[in-house]
Amino acid sequence: MIDVKQAIEKAKEFAREMLGQTDLLLEEVSSDDDAFEITLSLPRRAGTAENPLAAIVAAGANPFSVRYTANREFKEFRVLKRDGSVDKMSIRQLA
């Protein structure tokens, strides 16, 4: 069994290896009996700009949040507690 700190490191390691990213920020962590769900943000890739109006609405017109979310994308990783393996990576959409 791994703990939450180990799970975060496993998610970051997976993101570095699979996505080639080193600028990773921890955003959210949740847990159930079997796994940790870890959300990391990373710089938005060129050509994947978010719709500016949607960003403003989603952020509740907070200028800091708009700037932050427009420049970062979010990935969710599922890390199994039993062995620390990452069995899922998905795009985390902000609503």
Side-chain angles (χ1 to χ4, degrees):
M1 293 280 285
I2 64 168
D3 64 22
V4 68
K5 288 182 182 181
Q6 292 168 317
I8 292 166
E9 284 308 311
K10 293 286 187 180
K12 286 182 174 182
E13 180 181 304
F14 187 87
R16 284 190 292 268
E17 290 177 14
M18 295 294 124
L19 304 172
Q21 290 293 330
T22 57
D23 180 11
L24 302 166
L25 298 176
L26 176 65
E27 300 291 343
E28 295 177 335
V29 176
S30 62
S31 175
D32 62 27
D33 290 339
D34 300 321
F36 293 100
E37 296 280 341
I38 298 169
T39 303
L40 301 175
S41 69
L42 49 134
R44 188 173 296 282
R45 293 170 285 167
T48 60
E50 187 174 339
N51 176 336
L53 182 56
I56 291 169
V57 171
N62 179 334
F64 174 76
S65 294
V66 171
R67 210 169 30 253
Y68 181 76
T69 59
N71 294 324
R72 310 241 356 135
E73 60 184 273
F74 301 83
K75 302 283 186 187
E76 190 171 76
F77 300 86
R78 185 170 187 267
V79 181
L80 299 178
K81 289 182 176 180
R82 70 174 180 268
D83 62 4
S85 63
V86 175
D87 77 337
K88 177 183 145 188
M89 177 183 78
S90 60
I91 297 170
R92 170 80 159 79
Q93 297 291 335
L94 298 181

